[in-house]
Structure formats: C-alpha cells, structure tokens
Amino acid sequence: MAPKVREGDAVVALSGKWISWAHTAMAYSAFIGALVTGLALHYQKIVENEYYGYPQEWFPSVSATIGDRYPERAVFQFFIAMTSGPRLLLVSLWYILTARPNTSLPKIIAGVGVFRTLSCGGWTYVTSTDDHGWHDIFMISYLVATLPWTLGCLALSPNNTRAVKYRKILAGSFFGTLVPLVYYFIQHKVHKVPGAYTIYAFYEWALILFDVGFDAVTALDFDSFELIVRDVKGSSRGKTQQVADAVLEKEKDKPVGKVFGAHFLWADALDAAADVYNGFVFWSMLTSLGLTVWYFPLWHMGISGYEVMVMCTNVRLVHLLSLSGLLAYLTKTPEYRLFSVAFGVSMSCLAWAATWYAERSQLPRLESRILAWSIGLVASSVAKFAFRTNNPIWPIMHSENGGWNKMGLLLAALAIARSTRTVTDNRGGMDLADRPKTPPLLASLGLAGLLFGLHSLLSDSSTMILWVWEGFPVRGPIAANGVLTIAAMAVGILAGVFFKGPLASWLNLLLAGVGSFIVTSYHNWFGYMGALLLAVTLMALVTPLVTSAVRHGPIAFGLGFLIYNFLVLAHVWVVAYAFVPGGPLMREHTDWVMTATVVSLGAGVYATPRAESSNSKRTRAGKVAPSRFASYYTYVLLVIQLIAVTTSYLRFPTNDYVPYHPKDKVITAGIWTIHFSLDNDMWSSERRMRDLIKELEIDVIGLLESDLQRIIMGNRDSTQYLAEDLGMYVDYGPGPDKHTWGSALLSKFPIVNSTHHLLPSPVGELAPAIHATLDAYGELVDVVVFHSGQEEDAEDRRLQSEYLAKLMKGSPRPLILLSYLVTKPKEGIYNTYVGEKSGMKDIDPSDWDRWCEYILYKGIRRSGYARVSRSTITDTELQVGKFVVGQPESSDEQMKEDQMAEGLRFPALFRGQGDVCVKLNKPVMALVSGSDCSCGDLLPAASSKVSDAQCSTNCQGFPEEKCGGDDAWSLLLTGLNNNVGSAQEANNSEADSDSDSQPNTSPKAAPSPNPPSTSSATTPSPAANPRPSSNAAAAAPQPDTTKDKPPSTITRASTVVVTAPGQTQPAAVPTAETTPPSKGPNTAGIAAGAVVGVVAVCAIAGGLFLFLRRRKRRALEEDYQKNPVNPFETEAESKPPASSHSVSDSRLEPSVMMQRRQSDGSIADNQDYSRRILKVTNPDGT
C-alpha cells in the first residue's frame, strides 16, 4: 500500500492486518507452490509410497511433496523463509493485543508461538534424509505446540464475535481431521489397503489449510493496530548529507562528478542496456565466424571454397539485417549455417560502423556508443565464462547442447527496437578544427590492432590464463580466476571514461607493450599479471582509437577490418607453418604477432587528435550532457561484474572427486581425439562427449586436438566443461602460446605433479606431451598423454619416439601411455614405443587395425580393453583400457567377462542386440520402427527403394539417427560377407527350377540421406528374409530395462575384453571392413594452412569456385539418379586377423554414412563407407 506521510516525525504507517495477510500468503504459497511443482514434474514419483504407486495411489502427501526432491523442496523452503518474518511479527502483535496486568497466560502463549515457529523451521530445513532423528523431534514438537497455541488463542481472543466464530470453526476442523487422518494411516501402514494413503493425504493437506487459516483470522483483530515508522532525526527529509552527496559535491567539476551527478532515469538505463546488448550480439557473431569457417577445411582436408567467408568483415558488403547470424542455428546444413553467420557478421560490422559514423558530430553520444560496444565484449566474455567457454547464442549451439538461441534472438530484437527508435541529427558534421591531419591508414592500423587484440585475447576470460599455465602443482591462475580478467577489462573501460587525452593514450600504449612482453615471456602468476595489465590497457584504448577511425571516415573502417583479417590469419600461421608457403618464417612466432599488434596500436594512437578543442565538445541545445550517458553504462557494467563474481564462486573446484570403482582399485583410462569439440554436423559436442565419458565410467582420459584458444576455433576450452561436470582434475597441457594442436588430461585422481613437453620436431609441427603423476588409491601412477608428428615427417617421428621411450623407461612407477602414434602395429617406430627401449607393453598386441590411437602400459595389471564407436560426436573412435592398481603385469590369456569382478567389467549399458545377426551368421541386418532388428541372407532388389522420408523413425537411444519407419527398413551389412547377393539375383537364378517361388512384393524402401553415398535404407523383399525366424527371436537378448537412459554411443561389443586374474590377453578386433588407413597429413594443420592460404584468393575467385563446385555436384547428383548403384557393394580390402582370438565386429553404425571426412585417428573409420558400425542400445530405449 502507499505510504502515509504524517505530520511531525511519522514517515510510514501500515495497518496491522497486513502482517496477517502477508503471513497467510507466504505460508499458502510455500505449500501450494511445492504441490503444483511436484505434480507438474514428478507426479508418479511423489504419489508412490512404500507399498503402492500410481494408479492405486494418485495424490501425494504433504511430506512426499515437500521432501527431498528438487525443485519442490527449494520452492517450499523459499516461501517458508519469507513466512518467518511475518510469523514472528504476528506472534508479537498477538502478545501486545492480549497482554494484561497480573496474568501470565499471554506470555506463555507468546513463548509457545515463538517455539512453534522455530520448530517449524527445524523440520522444514532438516529433512529426514539429513537427520531423521532431529527431523522427527522438530516435527513432533511443532504438532505438540499446536494444541496449546490453538487453545490459548481461543482463550485470549478479544471480544470480536466474527473472529471468535472463525477460530472455533477452524480449530474444530483441525482437531476433527485428526481422527480420520489416524484411521487411514493405520489402513495404509498396518493393513496395506490400496488407495488408503491417498485419502490420508487429503486429510493431511486439510490440516495445513486449517492451521494456516486459523492464524489468518488474526487479521480481523489486528485491523485496530497501525504500525508507524518515525524519523526522529529528519534523515528522510534530507537534513543529513549522504556519503554520495559529499563525494559528488567534492568531485562536481571532475569526471566522476559529471558521470554520477545527474538524476537517474529508467528510460536512459534501458537505452544503455539495449546498446550494450547490441554490442554483445556483435561480439557473439564475430567470435562465431571463425569457428564456423574452421569446420570446412577440417572435413575437406584442403581448401573447400568456404574460407572466403573470413573476408566478410569488410564493411562494404551489402547492408541488410545483422540478426541473420543469430538465426543461423535454425539451419541444419553446415554450409548454409556458415553463409548465415557470414552475412550476419558483415551486416553487424556495417551497422556498428554506420552507427559510430552517424554520431560523429556529437562526441558524447559517440563515446556512449563506443562504450556500449566495449561493454558488449565484456558481456560476451561473461556469457562464455558462465557457460564454460561456449557462447549460448552461437550458431553451433541449440537447446539440446545448452544453447539459449531463442532467448538471445528475442532480446536482440527488443534491443534493436529500443536503441534505433530515434535517428541522430548529424547535419553539419564535424568542425573543420577536428579534421584529422594524419593518413587514414594509421587510424586503420589502430582499429585493426585493437579489434585483433580484443578478439584474440579478451573474447574469453581463460585464454591468457592458459597462456601462463604450466601444470601441477598449481602455481598460477585457474579457469575460475577468469573473473580477474573480466574485472581488469572493466577497470580499463572505466579508465577510458575518467582519464582521457593524448597523454592517457600514450601511457596506455606503453603499458600495453609491457603487458604483452610479460604475458609472452613469463608464466604462472607473474605472467598473468602482465595479462591483466594488457587487458586494462586494451580496453582503455577502445574509445580513442575508434573515435580516431570515425574522424578519418569510412575508409578507415574498410582498411581496418581488412588488416584485422590479415592479423587473424597470421595468428593461425604460427601454428600451421608446416602446411603453408613460407610457413617456416612464421614458425612459433607468436611474439611477432604480438609485436605487430602493439605497433598497430601505436599507429592508431599517433593518429588520434593531439588535443581536444572546445569546439569539439560543444553540443546542440537540448541534448543530453555527457554524464547522463556514461553513468548508465557504468551501472550495466557493474551488474555484469556481479554476474561474473557469482559465476566464479559457483565454478571454483571442490577437489573431492571419487573414481568409479574404488573398491576394486580400478583405473579406467581412455584416449580420444576430439576434433576441436565440433561434431560431424558442426554442433558443439561437449555434452555428448561428457555423456560418453560418464557412461563408460572413465577415470582418466587423454584428449587430443583440444587446443581451441584461437580465433578460428572460437577461443574455447572444452576441458573446463568436461572437468567441472564430470568432477575431474584437469591439466590443459602445453598452452596456446606453445603452437601445438593441444593435449589435455582429465583425472578423477589427484594430479600430484605434471610436466609439459614439446618433443623434437625439426621439420613438422610440434608434438605435445603431458607427463603426470597421479595419486591412485594411495599409490603413485604415471600417465603420459602424447600426440606425435605426422607421417610425412619421418625424422620428427623417429626423434619423438626415442625421446618418449627414454622418458617412459626412466619412470620408476607404473605408467600408462595414452597416445596418438601414427604407425602400424609391430612395424617401424612401434618397436621403439613397445619393447625394451621403453619398457612398455601394448594393451592389445593382436589388434592389427590401429593406426593412430594406442594405449601402452608397464608395471600395472591390464584387465580390459575396448574400442568405442565415435558416432557423430567426432571423427575418431574412443579407446579405453582398464587397469588394476597394486597388481603386477600378467600374461596374455583371455577369459570371459562374466567371470570377472563387477568393477572390472565395462558397463552393461553398452550391451544390446547389435550382434544378433552375427550370432545367427546372417550378413544382412534390417532396422525398423526405431528398435526392431531382423536378419537375412540377401539384399533386397534395387527396385524396392523408396523416398528417404519413409525412414523417419528415430533410433531408440540415438534420436539423431533414423532406424527405418513404419513401413520401411534401413538395411545394413554386418561384415560377415561383403559380397552379398540381392534378392533380385536370387529370384532370377531360381526362376527355372522353382515355378512356385514367391514374387517380389516387398514394401517400399528409402534411400540413404546422402546420395550418391554408398549406403541406403531399404525395405527387404521376402527373398531377403529380414523377418526374424523363430531361432532368431530366441537368440535375441531381452532388453535391459534397468537403466535410466540409453548410452550416447556404443562400444563395439567384440572388442570389450577382460582377462583372468594374473592373466591378460586383450582380444584384437579386426573387422572385415577395416584396413590400415591411407597415409595422410594432419587435418588440423591443413585446415589452418587453408585458411591462411585463402588470403591470396580474392572474393571473385572464391565465388567462381563455389559456383563451379555446386554445378559439378548437381551433375553428379543427376548422374546418380540416372544410374543408381547397389548401395551395399563394397571394394573394401579385408585382412585376416593377427590372432586366433580375433573376431569380426557385427555392429553397424547408422551415422557413418553421413561423414564428410576420413579419419587418421581410427583405422576403422578410414575405409569402406558402404558398411556402418551399429551403435547398440537397449531396444526399449532405456
């Protein structure tokens, strides 16, 4: 209600009845809010009791509703906490109302009321799960105190007939409800009557309604009370000066006073927020451009033509809506998504350049727009900090992997509508005195250096933290300290607001040079101090350098963005030197790039005006003073900083991680090349990687191709999300300034010590390695994560093998190598890594079809080995081994997994029906209705193919894949026989001998999603015999319904190997479709080289390339339609297994057909794309 201002000292007066109504509203909100939330989210769980569930029981009790489930408990506790204040005031007012001389009953009842309030808080916040004994004590105390409270209130009630009447009704109803409540509780607990607990629940809820309603009657009595707040010193009337007033009076002629001296207006605050959000959108789209370009050279293993989009930051492109970049997530095709992002970035660049130039005659408004743009960068960095280095509105995000695209788009539309509702009147332009006297090129260099520095170093708060990271023990900042980087950026912005002029700009340039030197030359906390200094000075230079570009006109922006593009390419060149012309000149010269950046900034500072004339500051009559603008942006900046501090608090590691099988002292270790955390369809893959690692119960994992801290990769760090969500320690490996493609180690075990190595690489790219010592169950175990050089650099690989062999041989502790070796088993440098020189053993010496990923070990017992299909998560399989700590190495004898202890097995979640057809010796598998699997001997006739749309049913457990339809089958080969005949051929051969043979009446079939790929989804003809026979049905295992969810991908069943205690033989799993991969160069290096090389290609040539490419593709599609091929024909070379224990892999993976790039990481992924490895899941999706 509106406050009442009285004569004298009264400031606010409030009727006492509002205390009662506030108490009633909060109490009912607590119980009803929890009930509604529970019914909406966990209905069947909260109605279930110890004997029965739904539908016998169909309404929850109070205790089940407000128990331990989230968010019901949180909703209840929040409103109960809000109830406590009005509750204590209610008890106090009741005592004041009923107190009489010479009687102690009011005091007793008041004491009971306080005790009842405290006991209510006790059973509310101490649940039976927390402490069952104390919970019951508090609950019983509350119920016991209810009786004297109720009777005492009746006895002390004032002579208010209406209030007494309601109290009697509610009290009688309360105590009357206890009888049926107890009766139905006995029916449920003793007699176990179905549905009795539901009736009991209704009476329990009635007690709550009557109890709260009884106290609500006090509103009729408190109506005679009025609570008054008195100001006895006149503070509310401005008689005393506030600290802020004193400061503003003292600083009124200084920048601080000008900024904060004006009155606060919400309309101007909304304008500032809208401008800042527009800046946030700009930086979000700009930082996503390189990321979406990067995807294509990775898959094409060379220049794809799409790299021309990196030039779209030139502001002379078409002028349309910039929000197309935010809409890009709706486009599933990566090419079109890239086009949308490129178009959006070009429009955003043009929009901001035009906005700044339009404000050129009004310096205060221009500086405010620049301020909003720079705070937008801070907001983008905070968003990535909160979402662990992924921007939630990037086009690689969507709702399933954590994206907030719809919300971001809505806010962007509102921000644009708000910030562009007025048009700046710029008639007359700048004064002649303000015309620049320096060439536009200098201002362009300053703008380019500024944009590159902000983008490469400050678009993610952890970038420079990883520059100075050197491993364990921790001697420098960690990811959660990114809040310091964000704070330094804010300090720089404020410094630019309050300290202006040429002297400030030259001082900032000098300090920027000092900070650049420190961060590139030193590590740990001292190196990070240089990073913070660089962050402050870069942000402080934003306003003068952008203002200088505006003064020099549009040409400064055109040249500036072009030079920025060259700096971006040089930024990649330093690590991709092995794949571009003249690359060795830039090899590992990040210092050159930093120097070029500082020199560019210096050129820009030189181009700024020497002094501000009085004319340049003048504004038109009626315009808002400078202080009115800057203050609101400062408030927005402070809000963003509070969000950053809160995020940092929530993200600090707990360091209390527990391995999956501590009783068995098992280490489950894996190696995975994660393809820079982009899946095969250009979506961020961190969540899917997390799910697979969690489902495989991996304790230690090495990740390769993991350095994402470059503009072209989005300045990300996937290890932050994986480590924090999985509960693991993380060592990032050699940082971004070490010029590698990255290696990382995640561990459930404490990392006692780690050392980063750059192995000898005189010719090719640098080879990173991490040598870490883990505290595994009280014993020290070494783990090495290693990525070798490429095959074409034979001398590099030889030197690296000798270096690593010496390192492993010298370790006195058990050691596990998780590696990327680029060699064939038992050939060449393999014998340096495995054998006497290193002391290491291969986890599976009989697994002949490996090329890159290897797991080696020494001094520890190996108990299992698995190779896991990558699905569409990345381009390389995941290899996993199990080791037992404290037990010596053992022999190579294999035994069945069911004879092993539970902790030594791989999770049952990865068992399914994928090997049914192999067990039945059937070469053809048919999938239908999402989960049904049938086996056959022949392929269907080619004429049975139908539209791809008919195979529209999602595979259970893998909704991104299609497993047939209601009347269509997805047909796959199991690998037992790659030369399978078709039903049509069989019918023709039998036509003369069997006149009664059944005609081909099969239902229609669907072709593959990507013609002319050598795969297809079809419906089988009767001759193909896809329907399961009685034997097949009997052989099929029953679905496992004990799991909560399906796996995110599968293990190839026949590769899961366990061994007997004291004996070890991991079974190699050479599959019929796999052969040693063709030798090829490193795809990441080629991708980076392709981006650098595109500088020599103009936009016209790129457009012509795309046109010819599209025309050629269209011709191929037309040719395929005219001449369809049998999708199941294969020319794959098949090698015999190296061991008698090896068996063929039976499973087929529906996703392999959609791959765009062959993999060096897994030999099974390098050939024969006419076969697919099925991801196996439980058929019911559980």
Side-chain angles (χ1 to χ4, degrees):
M1 63 177 291
K4 300 177 181 179
V5 180
R6 302 290 186 87
E7 295 181 358
D9 300 327
V11 178
V12 176
L14 182 69
S15 174
K17 67 181 180 181
W18 291 108
I19 301 298
S20 299
W21 291 131
H23 171 266
T24 304
M26 291 297 102
Y28 278 145
S29 296
F31 288 97
I32 297 176
L35 177 62
V36 171
T37 305
L39 293 177
L41 299 179
H42 307 118
Y43 172 66
Q44 294 197 13
K45 292 182 178 180
I46 62 176
V47 299
E48 183 179 356
N49 56 52
E50 56 194 314
Y51 303 125
Y52 303 103
Y54 182 84
Q56 290 87 359
E57 308 290 357
W58 52 273
F59 197 79
S61 64
V62 175
S63 55
T65 301
I66 64 175
D68 294 329
R69 297 192 184 278
Y70 177 85
E72 294 93 321
R73 178 182 178 182
V75 171
F76 176 73
Q77 291 183 341
F78 173 80
F79 283 106
I80 283 295
M82 299 291 288
T83 307
S84 60
R87 176 68 192 176
L88 292 173
L89 284 175
L90 185 148
V91 173
S92 300
L93 289 179
W94 182 255
Y95 171 74
I96 294 172
L97 179 67
T98 60
R100 297 291 185 272
N102 303 321
T103 176
S104 59
L105 182 58
K107 296 180 181 179
I108 295 174
I109 298 302
V112 170
V114 172
F115 173 78
R116 188 166 172 264
T117 301
L118 296 177
S119 61
C120 176
W123 64 260
T124 298
Y125 291 96
V126 180
T127 67
S128 57
T129 303
D130 300 329
D131 192 312
H132 193 278
W134 278 105
H135 175 79
D136 288 346
I137 291 173
F138 286 127
M139 175 63 76
I140 295 172
S141 299
Y142 177 81
L143 294 176
V144 170
T146 299
L147 180 62
W149 169 259
T150 303
L151 297 179
C153 287
L154 282 172
L156 294 174
S157 293
N159 189 18
N160 187 329
T161 306
R162 187 182 176 194
V164 172
K165 173 185 175 182
Y166 286 138
R167 283 197 179 92
K168 289 181 178 179
I169 293 174
L170 292 171
S173 300
F174 180 89
F175 291 114
T177 300
L178 293 175
V179 177
L181 179 81
V182 174
Y183 170 78
Y184 282 105
F185 182 78
I186 293 174
Q187 291 295 306
H188 159 72
K189 194 70 176 180
V190 178
H191 302 292
K192 302 178 183 178
V193 176
Y197 199 73
T198 294
I199 301 175
Y200 162 82
F202 279 108
Y203 285 108
E204 190 178 25
W205 281 103
L207 285 180
I208 299 298
L209 297 177
F210 296 147
D211 186 20
V212 176
F214 182 86
D215 292 330
V217 177
T218 56
L220 300 177
D221 299 314
F222 294 166
D223 192 33
S224 59
F225 282 161
E226 191 171 60
L227 304 180
I228 298 176
V229 177
R230 294 183 179 276
D231 180 4
V232 297
K233 294 185 178 181
S235 300
S236 63
R237 295 177 176 81
K239 294 182 180 180
T240 59
Q241 191 178 41
Q242 298 175 343
V243 174
D245 297 329
V247 172
L248 290 176
E249 179 66 24
K250 182 179 179 181
E251 305 287 337
K252 62 181 180 180
D253 295 326
K254 298 180 181 180
V256 174
K258 293 181 178 180
V259 169
F260 296 103
H263 295 291
F264 183 88
L265 297 177
W266 280 106
D268 289 341
L270 287 176
D271 288 340
D275 286 343
V276 169
Y277 192 82
N278 287 332
F280 165 74
V281 170
F282 168 84
W283 285 105
S284 297
M285 290 194 293
L286 181 66
T287 53
S288 71
L289 176 62
L291 187 57
T292 51
V293 169
W294 175 249
Y295 169 85
F296 292 94
L298 281 179
W299 286 110
H300 288 277
M301 296 185 69
I303 296 177
S304 64
Y306 298 111
E307 294 84 358
V308 72
M309 294 302 169
V310 78
M311 306 301 293
C312 75
T313 51
N314 193 310
V315 298
R316 300 180 187 274
L317 295 180
V318 292
H319 183 23
L320 292 173
L321 297 176
S322 62
L323 291 187
S324 60
L326 296 187
L327 287 167
Y329 83 99
L330 296 174
T331 305
K332 305 304 179 185
T333 305
E335 293 88 345
Y336 296 147
R337 207 178 328 150
L338 170 60
F339 294 154
S340 298
V341 172
F343 181 78
V345 171
S346 63
M347 294 305 100
S348 189
C349 289
L350 182 57
W352 274 100
T355 298
W356 290 330
Y357 192 68
E359 305 283 8
R360 63 189 182 278
S361 67
Q362 302 189 42
L363 188 59
R365 290 181 60 86
L366 173 60
E367 291 182 348
S368 296
R369 298 287 190 177
I370 298 172
L371 190 59
W373 183 75
S374 59
I375 296 176
L377 174 61
V378 180
S380 174
S381 187
V382 170
K384 293 180 67 179
F385 186 50
F387 286 82
R388 290 171 283 190
T389 77
N390 269 332
N391 190 311
I393 65 172
W394 268 349
I396 63 167
M397 307 296 292
H398 48 70
S399 58
E400 287 76 17
N401 66 2
W404 285 23
N405 307 81
K406 295 179 181 178
M407 177 63 71
L409 182 62
L410 175 62
L411 293 177
L414 295 175
I416 290 176
R418 178 76 189 182
S419 61
T420 60
R421 72 189 191 283
T422 58
V423 179
T424 300
D425 180 9
N426 196 54
R427 289 173 293 179
M430 286 186 172
D431 294 336
L432 293 177
D434 295 326
R435 296 280 179 86
K437 298 179 181 180
T438 53
L441 178 60
L442 296 181
S444 300
L445 285 169
L447 181 65
L450 175 69
L451 190 59
F452 174 75
L454 297 178
H455 192 170
S456 63
L457 300 175
L458 299 181
S459 63
D460 186 83
S461 62
S462 63
T463 298
M464 291 190 289
I465 289 177
L466 295 176
W467 275 46
V468 301
W469 171 258
E470 282 201 324
F472 287 82
V474 177
R475 301 178 294 274
I478 60 176
N481 295 127
V483 67
L484 300 179
T485 305
I486 296 170
M489 295 170 68
V491 170
I493 291 175
L494 296 177
V497 171
F498 298 127
F499 304 100
K500 301 178 182 179
L503 179 61
S505 297
W506 284 107
L507 178 61
N508 285 324
L509 176 64
L510 175 63
L511 295 178
V514 173
S516 299
F517 173 76
I518 294 175
V519 75
T520 54
S521 304
Y522 297 91
H523 297 92
N524 302 320
W525 279 111
F526 183 69
Y528 188 56
M529 293 301 104
L532 296 180
L533 180 62
L534 183 58
V536 171
T537 53
L538 276 176
M539 299 305 296
L541 286 171
V542 170
T543 298
L545 293 184
V546 175
T547 302
S548 176
V550 171
R551 294 175 184 274
H552 284 81
I555 189 174
F557 289 99
L559 288 175
F561 280 117
L562 181 61
I563 297 170
Y564 155 78
N565 287 331
F566 281 95
L567 288 173
V568 171
L569 297 174
H571 173 63
V572 181
W573 205 336
V574 298
V575 69
Y577 50 82
F579 301 95
V580 293
L585 294 176
M586 285 293 295
R587 173 173 177 154
E588 305 173 40
H589 278 303
T590 294
D591 53 342
W592 289 9
V593 177
M594 294 292 287
T595 301
T597 303
V598 176
V599 170
S600 297
L601 293 172
V605 171
Y606 180 79
T608 57
R610 297 294 180 272
E612 297 286 354
S613 64
S614 58
N615 292 333
S616 66
K617 295 184 179 181
R618 71 186 185 189
T619 59
R620 302 178 187 275
K623 297 299 181 181
V624 182
S627 59
R628 283 280 303 277
F629 289 107
S631 61
Y632 298 112
Y633 293 107
T634 305
Y635 297 144
V636 174
L637 182 60
L638 292 177
V639 170
I640 293 174
Q641 291 301 308
L642 289 176
I643 296 174
V645 172
T646 303
T647 301
S648 177
Y649 173 78
L650 296 174
R651 285 193 55 188
F652 259 93
T654 58
N655 296 332
D656 56 353
Y657 314 127
V658 179
Y660 287 99
H661 298 285
K663 293 183 180 179
D664 298 294
K665 300 183 72 173
V666 171
I667 297 177
T668 303
I671 180 67
W672 201 3
T673 305
I674 61 173
H675 196 224
F676 303 98
S677 300
L678 284 180
D679 71 11
N680 298 356
D681 296 308
M682 205 168 78
W683 300 111
S684 177
S685 58
E686 286 92 346
R687 293 201 176 198
R688 299 178 67 195
M689 288 192 293
R690 172 206 62 187
D691 291 340
L692 178 54
I693 294 171
K694 183 183 296 185
E695 290 158 0
L696 278 168
E697 299 177 348
I698 295 177
D699 301 307
V700 178
I701 186 167
L703 302 178
L704 303 175
E705 294 185 4
S706 57
D707 187 351
L708 316 180
Q709 288 290 359
R710 298 189 182 277
I711 289 177
I712 201 69
M713 304 164 195
N715 286 100
R716 300 180 293 149
D717 176 15
S718 299
T719 63
Q720 293 182 30
Y721 178 83
L722 296 175
E724 292 176 26
D725 213 66
L726 292 169
M728 305 178 85
Y729 301 90
V730 59
D731 187 0
Y732 190 84
D737 61 329
K738 301 302 189 299
H739 315 100
T740 75
W741 297 118
S743 60
L745 173 67
L746 278 72
S747 171
K748 289 278 188 180
F749 304 100
I751 303 176
V752 178
N753 184 76
S754 66
T755 306
H756 300 163
H757 298 265
L758 296 176
L759 274 65
S761 305
V763 179
E765 62 186 28
L766 292 179
I770 302 173
H771 181 197
T773 301
L774 311 182
D775 181 0
Y777 309 112
E779 299 189 25
L780 297 181
V781 176
D782 284 1
V783 174
V784 175
V785 180
F786 168 60
H787 190 307
S788 78
Q790 298 308 301
E791 184 182 10
E792 60 269 22
D793 302 320
E795 180 63 12
D796 284 10
R797 292 189 297 112
R798 184 188 68 81
L799 294 174
Q800 292 161 11
S801 66
E802 293 177 353
Y803 182 100
L804 197 63
K806 182 178 179 180
L807 177 70
M808 295 186 295
K809 184 74 172 180
S811 174
R813 295 174 290 273
L815 189 146
I816 301 171
L817 173 66
L818 308 173
S819 61
Y820 184 104
L821 299 184
V822 193
T823 185
K824 296 179 181 179
K826 302 183 180 179
E827 296 183 13
I829 60 172
Y830 171 91
N831 297 306
T832 304
Y833 289 113
V834 179
E836 291 297 326
K837 292 183 178 180
S838 65
M840 302 295 290
K841 292 186 177 181
D842 190 348
I843 194 170
D844 185 359
S846 65
D847 188 359
W848 59 270
D849 66 341
R850 291 169 295 167
W851 173 246
C852 288
E853 291 183 347
Y854 286 82
I855 299 178
L856 311 181
Y857 71 99
K858 75 169 186 178
I860 191 171
R861 179 191 158 204
R862 162 200 56 186
S863 66
Y865 171 52
R867 296 174 63 176
V868 184
S869 167
R870 69 187 190 275
S871 179
T872 60
I873 300 176
T874 178
D875 68 336
T876 310
E877 69 181 19
L878 169 60
Q879 290 189 15
V880 185
K882 284 185 175 289
F883 301 89
V884 181
V885 176
Q887 296 188 18
E889 300 173 8
S890 51
S891 65
D892 290 339
E893 183 176 350
Q894 181 182 353
M895 66 182 297
K896 294 182 179 180
E897 189 175 12
D898 58 9
Q899 297 176 339
M900 303 299 295
E902 185 70 27
L904 302 183
R905 306 178 191 176
F906 286 92
L909 185 65
F910 292 84
R911 304 295 186 265
Q913 292 187 337
D915 57 352
V916 171
C917 295
V918 171
K919 292 179 180 178
L920 295 176
N921 200 29
K922 300 293 183 181
V924 182
M925 174 185 292
L927 303 173
V928 68
S929 300
S931 61
D932 295 339
C933 171
S934 300
C935 309
D937 298 303
L938 297 174
L939 296 170
S943 59
S944 63
K945 296 179 184 177
V946 295
S947 170
D948 178 49
Q950 295 196 28
C951 282
S952 58
T953 304
N954 295 337
C955 301
Q956 285 199 5
F958 308 95
E960 297 180 357
E961 320 276 342
K962 303 298 179 185
C963 288
D966 294 334
D967 194 30
W969 298 70
S970 296
L971 203 63
L972 310 163
L973 296 183
T974 63
L976 294 176
N977 179 10
N978 288 338
N979 297 316
V980 181
S982 68
Q984 187 174 8
E985 295 171 354
N987 289 338
N988 292 338
S989 64
E990 297 175 2
D992 295 335
S993 60
D994 188 1
S995 59
D996 295 330
S997 64
Q998 187 175 4
N1000 186 352
T1001 59
S1002 68
K1004 295 181 179 180
S1008 76
N1010 292 315
S1013 171
T1014 57
S1015 68
S1016 177
T1018 65
T1019 51
S1021 66
N1025 189 27
R1027 298 287 179 182
S1029 64
S1030 59
N1031 292 335
Q1038 295 298 316
D1040 182 0
T1041 60
T1042 62
K1043 297 294 181 184
D1044 292 332
K1045 62 175 183 175
S1048 59
T1049 184
I1050 58 91
T1051 181
R1052 299 165 60 190
S1054 50
T1055 69
V1056 177
V1057 177
V1058 290
T1059 53
Q1063 300 175 344
T1064 340
Q1065 177 172 353
V1069 191
T1071 57
E1073 83 278 15
T1074 57
T1075 60
S1078 59
K1079 300 177 181 180
N1082 174 268
T1083 57
I1086 288 181
V1091 176
V1092 176
V1094 81
V1095 176
V1097 183
C1098 67
I1100 297 176
L1104 178 62
F1105 177 83
L1106 292 176
F1107 172 76
L1108 294 175
R1109 187 171 180 271
R1110 180 173 294 277
R1111 188 171 66 176
K1112 181 178 179 181
R1113 180 182 295 175
R1114 186 180 299 111
L1116 290 173
E1117 292 176 353
E1118 292 175 355
D1119 181 67
Y1120 174 76
Q1121 293 172 357
K1122 295 177 181 178
N1123 302 291
V1125 296
N1126 186 341
F1128 296 100
E1129 290 180 355
T1130 178
E1131 298 177 358
E1133 178 184 359
S1134 177
K1135 283 192 175 183
S1139 168
S1140 59
H1141 298 289
S1142 302
V1143 295
S1144 295
D1145 183 4
S1146 62
R1147 303 199 220 181
L1148 307 166
E1149 180 182 352
S1151 62
V1152 174
M1153 310 310 308
M1154 304 179 186
Q1155 307 311 310
R1156 297 175 172 82
R1157 169 180 181 253
Q1158 292 180 336
S1159 169
D1160 286 335
S1162 167
I1163 196 166
D1165 301 331
N1166 263 357
Q1167 53 142 8
D1168 191 8
Y1169 274 54
S1170 65
R1171 289 193 57 241
R1172 299 179 285 183
I1173 302 173
L1174 175 65
K1175 298 193 305 272
V1176 178
T1177 184
N1178 298 315
D1180 61 352
T1182 58

